[in-house]
């Protein structure tokens, strides 16, 4: 009987100890290093128009323009090169700079 009580107590303690560790790890998975929500960078050299529309300010037409530009000119050499795409200006490039990669 004492052995059964000891075993149940040990299992209860072990499960309680694992809860805070799990909560802390899931919290860090859902936020970036600056405390904001985590997100995946969009690779402008690989993304299709559907993925590009997930970016703020990029609708279907601009996404298609990015893909067309890439098909005609080859891969982007820098994020700033997005400014060469019709309908994307300097301000848009600045807003997207932290959300895209090449």
């Amino acid at each position: 009987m004492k052995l059964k009580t000891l075993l149940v107590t040990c299992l209860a303690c072990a499960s309680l100890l694992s809860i805070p560790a799990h909560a802390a790890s899931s919290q860090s998975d859902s936020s970036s290093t600056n405390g904001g929500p985590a997100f995946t960078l969009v690779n402008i050299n690989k993304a299709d128009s559907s993925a590009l529309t997930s970016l703020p300010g990029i609708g279907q037409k601009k996404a298609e323009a990015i893909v067309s530009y890439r098909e005609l000119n080859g891969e982007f050499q820098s994020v700033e090169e997005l400014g060469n795409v019709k309908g994307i200006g300097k301000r848009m490039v600045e807003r997207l700079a932290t959300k895209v990669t090449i």
Side-chain angles (χ1 to χ4, degrees), residues 17-29:
L17 290 174
S18 68
I19 291 172
H22 175 70
S25 69
S26 67
Q27 185 179 22
S28 65
D29 290 343

Side-chain angles (χ1 to χ4, degrees), residues 39 41 93-100:
F39 60 89
L41 293 174
V93 173
E94 289 170 358
R95 277 187 269 159
L96 295 174
T98 61
K99 295 167 180 50
V100 298

Side-chain angles (χ1 to χ4, degrees), residues 19-98:
I19 291 172
H22 175 70
S25 69
S26 67
Q27 185 179 22
S28 65
D29 290 343
S30 65
S31 63
S32 65
T33 55
N34 66 0
F39 60 89
T40 303
L41 293 174
V42 175
N43 185 323
I44 58 174
N45 286 324
K46 307 292 182 209
D48 60 10
S49 61
S50 174
L52 292 166
T53 60
S54 70
L55 295 167
I58 302 294
Q60 191 61 39
K61 284 188 177 184
K62 286 183 185 175
E64 289 171 0
I66 292 169
V67 172
S68 294
Y69 180 90
R70 186 177 66 209
E71 289 171 351
L72 290 172
N73 299 288
E75 291 191 344
F76 289 93
Q77 300 302 306
S78 69
V79 172
E80 291 75 22
E81 193 178 342
L82 273 173
N84 296 336
V85 176
K86 183 179 179 180
I88 299 180
K90 184 177 178 180
R91 276 205 206 132
M92 176 69 71
V93 173
E94 289 170 358
R95 277 187 269 159
L96 295 174
T98 61

